[in-house]
């Protein structure tokens, strides 16, 4: 970004930016002035939500009515001992800015 500010976003299985999530996270960071780590936390949550929607065949725009089921999925789905963030899959997170890490 020209200003040097960075923010976190959500990417799909082909490393493409998920537009709706990106617009929200960019506005959160740049328009509302939230911290970079705030956008990271939000991006991780959005990534998990989108992963759950994909795994359960739900449309993310209407799946909020089943939020209780999402919470159960978070609590009881085995994570094989690792953090529940998947690379190269819809709902992964990435940093956007002048340098990528």
């Amino acid at each position: 970004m020209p200003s040097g500010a960075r923010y976190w976003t959500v990417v799909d299985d082909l490393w493409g930016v998920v537009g709706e999530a990106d617009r929200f996270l960019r506005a959160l960071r740049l328009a509302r002035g939230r911290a970079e780590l705030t956008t990271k936390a939000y991006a991780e949550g959005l990534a998990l939500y989108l992963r759950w929607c994909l795994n359960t065949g739900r449309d993310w725009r209407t799946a909020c009515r089943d939020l209780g089921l999402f919470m159960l999925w978070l609590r009881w789905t085995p994570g094989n001992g690792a953090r529940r963030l998947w690379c190269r899959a819809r709902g992964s997170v990435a940093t956007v800015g002048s340098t990528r890490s």
Side-chain angles (χ1 to χ4, degrees):
M1 307 206 81
S3 67
R6 296 178 354 160
Y7 68 100
W8 289 79
T9 195
V10 179
V11 295
D12 63 18
D13 56 349
L14 299 175
W15 294 104
V17 172
V18 177
E20 295 88 350
D22 185 67
R23 282 189 292 280
F24 170 74
L25 293 164
R26 188 173 354 119
L28 185 69
R29 173 75 168 118
L30 303 177
R32 296 185 186 173
R34 300 296 191 258
E36 181 181 340
L37 289 179
T38 298
T39 61
K40 180 182 181 197
Y42 275 62
E44 289 174 344
L46 284 170
L48 288 171
Y49 178 73
L50 292 173
R51 168 60 59 193
W52 173 74
C53 289
L54 182 67
N55 285 349
T56 59
R58 289 175 169 81
D59 183 288
W60 68 269
R61 291 172 284 269
T62 58
C64 62
R65 65 178 173 238
D66 297 324
L67 206 53
L69 295 174
F70 173 60
M71 294 171 68
L72 286 172
W73 179 81
L74 287 174
R75 175 70 175 101
W76 296 107
T77 301
N80 70 10
R83 291 196 63 196
R84 195 189 304 266
L85 292 179
W86 297 271
C87 285
R88 301 225 16 112
R90 177 175 288 287
S92 294
V93 295
T95 251
V96 176
S98 53
T99 59
R100 291 188 181 222
S101 48

